[in-house]
Structure formats: structure tokens, C-alpha cells
Amino acid sequence: QVLCPSCAMSAAVSWKTARLTWDDIGLLEPGRWLNDAVIGFWTEYNSAAMGDAVCVMDPAAGFWVAVEEDMEDLQDGLQPLDLQDKQIVLVPVNDRSERGSEGGCHWSLLELRRGEAGITGHYYDSIGVGNLSQAQKLANKVVSFMETKQQRCEVKVEACGKQSNSSDCGVFALLFIETLLSGGDTAAVTPGDASAMRQRMKQVVMSLAKPR
């Protein structure tokens, strides 16, 4: 079915503060790269099941934190997240590094976890370590809002499943979130899991979508 441009760009699904257009929904098809709207929608949809001790930062907010240099603005933006009360903070990380630049082309995941030794950083990437510097920059900014006595956080690259194509990085980032929160092994995530995840996401989104 061919949609008019205005229909394709109108909100097809709404969930709390998250919105998806029909163009966004089309990205759930195999071989398509997920954008920040789809990733943000899925984490918002599942946020109630994650518990009060977990914060999954919206990917657009994560990018803003990475590039924002004004500490007062960061304070105002992050204060509503109550990061000082969180045990785990998860942030989908994109390789876009500057304001005004084109959207990036790869997603990975940063995990900040509170423990006896303070806040530790963990990096999960379904291809390599291309976003590690961005994740490290983000971690150093967020950690001080989780623990005022800690100003830096060394991010460690963790073992995790690898994608077999050029489009499933965002799906893998979402799978890593689910796996970490369920106590599973991120190294056991497979391309088959990514295919099943796309189907599951599409079923949920379509069940919430407005009629075309």
C-alpha cells in the first residue's frame, strides 16, 4: 500500500511520550537500520517492567549529553532522571559525534552499574569498538550525576554477540538491554535472536498502530 507523504510522517503509534510514524515502523522490516525514534519507543514501551532502579536513557538524550558542554544545562536536563538513585543506567550510543552532523550509522550500548567499588562502565558492540570513544565521553559525564564523589569511569569492552549484516546493530543494542536486565549472557545473543526481535517489535507496534 502506497501512503501519501503526510500520512507517512504523521504519528501512527503513541506510547506515553514516544511517537512513531509509518516511516519509522517501516524500519522494523529486515535489512533496515533502526533510528533513534524506534529505539526510544521500544525502551519507553518496556520501561515499566524494568523497575525503579534502572534507567534506560533515550538515545536522543544520550547524544545530547555526549555533546553538551554546559554543566548547568546538563544538570537541568539530567536531574529529572534521578540518576543518583539508579543502580543501572543503560544508554544506546550512536557514532554521530557532533551537533548538526548527519545521523550516525551504528548503535552500541553503554552500561553504567553501581557496585561496592563505585560506578563501573561496560561497553557492548555487535561489530567492534567503533563507538567506544563516544561511550567513554558519555560515561564520564553521566557518572558524576550518579555518584558525586566519582568524576571518571573507565569503560570496559565486554563480550557480546555479533551481527551478521550491516543493519541489525540497533536490534542488538536492544537485545543487550533485555539480556543484561534478565541476568543473561550478552555473548550468547545471535543473529537469529535479532530476526525474532524484529518480528516481536513489529507485532507489538502494529497492535498499537492507528488504522492507515
Side-chain angles (χ1 to χ4, degrees), residues 180-203:
L180 288 167
L181 295 183
S182 65
D185 181 7
T186 55
V189 177
T190 68
D193 295 330
S195 296
M197 178 72 150
R198 281 188 184 271
Q199 289 296 319
R200 178 156 54 97
M201 293 174 70
K202 184 177 179 180
Q203 289 174 358

mmCIF file of all heavy atoms in Angstrom, residues 180-203:
data_model
loop_
_atom_site.group_PDB
_atom_site.id
_atom_site.type_symbol
_atom_site.label_atom_id
_atom_site.label_comp_id
_atom_site.label_asym_id
_atom_site.label_seq_id
_atom_site.Cartn_x
_atom_site.Cartn_y
_atom_site.Cartn_z
ATOM 1 N N LEU A 180 20.907 -8.065 29.703
ATOM 2 C CA LEU A 180 21.520 -7.584 30.938
ATOM 3 C C LEU A 180 20.512 -7.515 32.073
ATOM 4 O O LEU A 180 20.812 -7.906 33.211
ATOM 5 C CB LEU A 180 22.149 -6.208 30.699
ATOM 6 C CG LEU A 180 23.420 -6.188 29.843
ATOM 7 C CD1 LEU A 180 23.758 -4.765 29.431
ATOM 8 C CD2 LEU A 180 24.587 -6.829 30.593
ATOM 9 N N LEU A 181 19.319 -7.041 31.781
ATOM 10 C CA LEU A 181 18.318 -6.872 32.833
ATOM 11 C C LEU A 181 17.710 -8.191 33.272
ATOM 12 O O LEU A 181 17.127 -8.280 34.362
ATOM 13 C CB LEU A 181 17.223 -5.910 32.362
ATOM 14 C CG LEU A 181 17.690 -4.468 32.110
ATOM 15 C CD1 LEU A 181 16.522 -3.589 31.712
ATOM 16 C CD2 LEU A 181 18.391 -3.900 33.342
ATOM 17 N N SER A 182 17.839 -9.226 32.445
ATOM 18 C CA SER A 182 17.322 -10.546 32.827
ATOM 19 C C SER A 182 18.424 -11.444 33.392
ATOM 20 O O SER A 182 18.169 -12.599 33.738
ATOM 21 C CB SER A 182 16.674 -11.236 31.624
ATOM 22 O OG SER A 182 17.636 -11.510 30.614
ATOM 23 N N GLY A 183 19.658 -10.904 33.472
ATOM 24 C CA GLY A 183 20.766 -11.678 34.015
ATOM 25 C C GLY A 183 21.345 -12.683 33.049
ATOM 26 O O GLY A 183 22.048 -13.620 33.454
ATOM 27 N N GLY A 184 21.099 -12.514 31.759
ATOM 28 C CA GLY A 184 21.594 -13.438 30.753
ATOM 29 C C GLY A 184 23.000 -13.115 30.294
ATOM 30 O O GLY A 184 23.665 -12.209 30.813
ATOM 31 N N ASP A 185 23.450 -13.860 29.293
ATOM 32 C CA ASP A 185 24.802 -13.738 28.758
ATOM 33 C C ASP A 185 24.755 -12.987 27.436
ATOM 34 O O ASP A 185 24.237 -13.496 26.446
ATOM 35 C CB ASP A 185 25.384 -15.137 28.552
ATOM 36 C CG ASP A 185 26.802 -15.130 28.007
ATOM 37 O OD1 ASP A 185 27.396 -14.036 27.903
ATOM 38 O OD2 ASP A 185 27.320 -16.218 27.688
ATOM 39 N N THR A 186 25.321 -11.787 27.392
ATOM 40 C CA THR A 186 25.290 -10.994 26.157
ATOM 41 C C THR A 186 26.069 -11.668 25.024
ATOM 42 O O THR A 186 25.779 -11.425 23.852
ATOM 43 C CB THR A 186 25.866 -9.581 26.397
ATOM 44 O OG1 THR A 186 27.178 -9.692 26.958
ATOM 45 C CG2 THR A 186 24.969 -8.786 27.342
ATOM 46 N N ALA A 187 27.043 -12.502 25.368
ATOM 47 C CA ALA A 187 27.813 -13.194 24.340
ATOM 48 C C ALA A 187 26.982 -14.250 23.614
ATOM 49 O O ALA A 187 27.372 -14.723 22.546
ATOM 50 C CB ALA A 187 29.053 -13.837 24.945
ATOM 51 N N ALA A 188 25.846 -14.629 24.193
ATOM 52 C CA ALA A 188 25.006 -15.674 23.607
ATOM 53 C C ALA A 188 23.945 -15.117 22.658
ATOM 54 O O ALA A 188 23.181 -15.882 22.070
ATOM 55 C CB ALA A 188 24.336 -16.486 24.714
ATOM 56 N N VAL A 189 23.896 -13.795 22.498
ATOM 57 C CA VAL A 189 22.908 -13.186 21.587
ATOM 58 C C VAL A 189 23.320 -13.469 20.146
ATOM 59 O O VAL A 189 24.482 -13.302 19.780
ATOM 60 C CB VAL A 189 22.809 -11.670 21.836
ATOM 61 C CG1 VAL A 189 21.840 -11.029 20.842
ATOM 62 C CG2 VAL A 189 22.352 -11.397 23.268
ATOM 63 N N THR A 190 22.366 -13.895 19.322
ATOM 64 C CA THR A 190 22.671 -14.340 17.961
ATOM 65 C C THR A 190 21.889 -13.547 16.914
ATOM 66 O O THR A 190 20.896 -12.879 17.243
ATOM 67 C CB THR A 190 22.300 -15.823 17.795
ATOM 68 O OG1 THR A 190 20.852 -15.958 17.865
ATOM 69 C CG2 THR A 190 22.932 -16.680 18.892
ATOM 70 N N PRO A 191 22.317 -13.632 15.647
ATOM 71 C CA PRO A 191 21.527 -13.019 14.570
ATOM 72 C C PRO A 191 20.098 -13.554 14.512
ATOM 73 O O PRO A 191 19.179 -12.822 14.158
ATOM 74 C CB PRO A 191 22.323 -13.389 13.317
ATOM 75 C CG PRO A 191 23.734 -13.493 13.790
ATOM 76 C CD PRO A 191 23.627 -14.126 15.149
ATOM 77 N N GLY A 192 19.918 -14.813 14.871
ATOM 78 C CA GLY A 192 18.563 -15.356 14.926
ATOM 79 C C GLY A 192 17.706 -14.651 15.961
ATOM 80 O O GLY A 192 16.513 -14.419 15.743
ATOM 81 N N ASP A 193 18.316 -14.310 17.088
ATOM 82 C CA ASP A 193 17.601 -13.547 18.115
ATOM 83 C C ASP A 193 17.183 -12.185 17.577
ATOM 84 O O ASP A 193 16.097 -11.678 17.889
ATOM 85 C CB ASP A 193 18.481 -13.353 19.347
ATOM 86 C CG ASP A 193 18.816 -14.652 20.044
ATOM 87 O OD1 ASP A 193 18.000 -15.582 19.994
ATOM 88 O OD2 ASP A 193 19.908 -14.719 20.648
ATOM 89 N N ALA A 194 18.059 -11.589 16.759
ATOM 90 C CA ALA A 194 17.750 -10.278 16.185
ATOM 91 C C ALA A 194 16.568 -10.366 15.226
ATOM 92 O O ALA A 194 15.687 -9.493 15.231
ATOM 93 C CB ALA A 194 18.977 -9.718 15.468
ATOM 94 N N SER A 195 16.522 -11.411 14.421
ATOM 95 C CA SER A 195 15.391 -11.590 13.500
ATOM 96 C C SER A 195 14.093 -11.767 14.270
ATOM 97 O O SER A 195 13.061 -11.178 13.919
ATOM 98 C CB SER A 195 15.645 -12.802 12.598
ATOM 99 O OG SER A 195 16.772 -12.592 11.776
ATOM 100 N N ALA A 196 14.143 -12.566 15.332
ATOM 101 C CA ALA A 196 12.948 -12.790 16.148
ATOM 102 C C ALA A 196 12.522 -11.502 16.857
ATOM 103 O O ALA A 196 11.336 -11.224 17.008
ATOM 104 C CB ALA A 196 13.214 -13.893 17.164
ATOM 105 N N MET A 197 13.512 -10.709 17.273
ATOM 106 C CA MET A 197 13.226 -9.438 17.944
ATOM 107 C C MET A 197 12.504 -8.478 17.009
ATOM 108 O O MET A 197 11.547 -7.801 17.411
ATOM 109 C CB MET A 197 14.537 -8.811 18.432
ATOM 110 C CG MET A 197 14.382 -7.465 19.113
ATOM 111 S SD MET A 197 13.624 -7.615 20.734
ATOM 112 C CE MET A 197 14.359 -6.220 21.574
ATOM 113 N N ARG A 198 12.941 -8.408 15.760
ATOM 114 C CA ARG A 198 12.248 -7.549 14.792
ATOM 115 C C ARG A 198 10.781 -7.955 14.665
ATOM 116 O O ARG A 198 9.889 -7.099 14.633
ATOM 117 C CB ARG A 198 12.931 -7.628 13.432
ATOM 118 C CG ARG A 198 14.190 -6.800 13.281
ATOM 119 C CD ARG A 198 14.676 -6.804 11.850
ATOM 120 N NE ARG A 198 15.931 -6.101 11.673
ATOM 121 C CZ ARG A 198 16.035 -4.801 11.406
ATOM 122 N NH1 ARG A 198 14.947 -4.070 11.260
ATOM 123 N NH2 ARG A 198 17.234 -4.231 11.249
ATOM 124 N N GLN A 199 10.521 -9.231 14.582
ATOM 125 C CA GLN A 199 9.152 -9.716 14.450
ATOM 126 C C GLN A 199 8.330 -9.371 15.689
ATOM 127 O O GLN A 199 7.177 -8.946 15.585
ATOM 128 C CB GLN A 199 9.149 -11.225 14.212
ATOM 129 C CG GLN A 199 9.640 -11.639 12.839
ATOM 130 C CD GLN A 199 8.724 -11.114 11.738
ATOM 131 O OE1 GLN A 199 7.499 -11.124 11.847
ATOM 132 N NE2 GLN A 199 9.336 -10.628 10.656
ATOM 133 N N ARG A 200 8.933 -9.558 16.846
ATOM 134 C CA ARG A 200 8.231 -9.254 18.095
ATOM 135 C C ARG A 200 7.922 -7.763 18.198
ATOM 136 O O ARG A 200 6.803 -7.370 18.577
ATOM 137 C CB ARG A 200 9.099 -9.702 19.277
ATOM 138 C CG ARG A 200 8.526 -9.402 20.649
ATOM 139 C CD ARG A 200 9.083 -10.344 21.689
ATOM 140 N NE ARG A 200 10.538 -10.370 21.716
ATOM 141 C CZ ARG A 200 11.279 -9.650 22.572
ATOM 142 N NH1 ARG A 200 10.699 -8.848 23.449
ATOM 143 N NH2 ARG A 200 12.598 -9.740 22.555
ATOM 144 N N MET A 201 8.893 -6.929 17.848
ATOM 145 C CA MET A 201 8.677 -5.490 17.888
ATOM 146 C C MET A 201 7.573 -5.073 16.916
ATOM 147 O O MET A 201 6.699 -4.263 17.259
ATOM 148 C CB MET A 201 9.974 -4.748 17.561
ATOM 149 C CG MET A 201 11.059 -4.905 18.605
ATOM 150 S SD MET A 201 12.645 -4.168 18.097
ATOM 151 C CE MET A 201 12.231 -2.417 18.158
ATOM 152 N N LYS A 202 7.614 -5.638 15.719
ATOM 153 C CA LYS A 202 6.611 -5.279 14.714
ATOM 154 C C LYS A 202 5.212 -5.681 15.171
ATOM 155 O O LYS A 202 4.247 -4.918 14.996
ATOM 156 C CB LYS A 202 6.951 -5.943 13.384
ATOM 157 C CG LYS A 202 6.011 -5.533 12.253
ATOM 158 C CD LYS A 202 6.423 -6.161 10.930
ATOM 159 C CE LYS A 202 5.448 -5.755 9.819
ATOM 160 N NZ LYS A 202 5.826 -6.364 8.519
ATOM 161 N N GLN A 203 5.079 -6.863 15.765
ATOM 162 C CA GLN A 203 3.771 -7.310 16.246
ATOM 163 C C GLN A 203 3.218 -6.365 17.306
ATOM 164 O O GLN A 203 2.033 -6.005 17.284
ATOM 165 C CB GLN A 203 3.881 -8.725 16.793
ATOM 166 C CG GLN A 203 4.093 -9.786 15.725
ATOM 167 C CD GLN A 203 4.356 -11.169 16.309
ATOM 168 O OE1 GLN A 203 4.416 -11.349 17.524
ATOM 169 N NE2 GLN A 203 4.535 -12.138 15.434
#
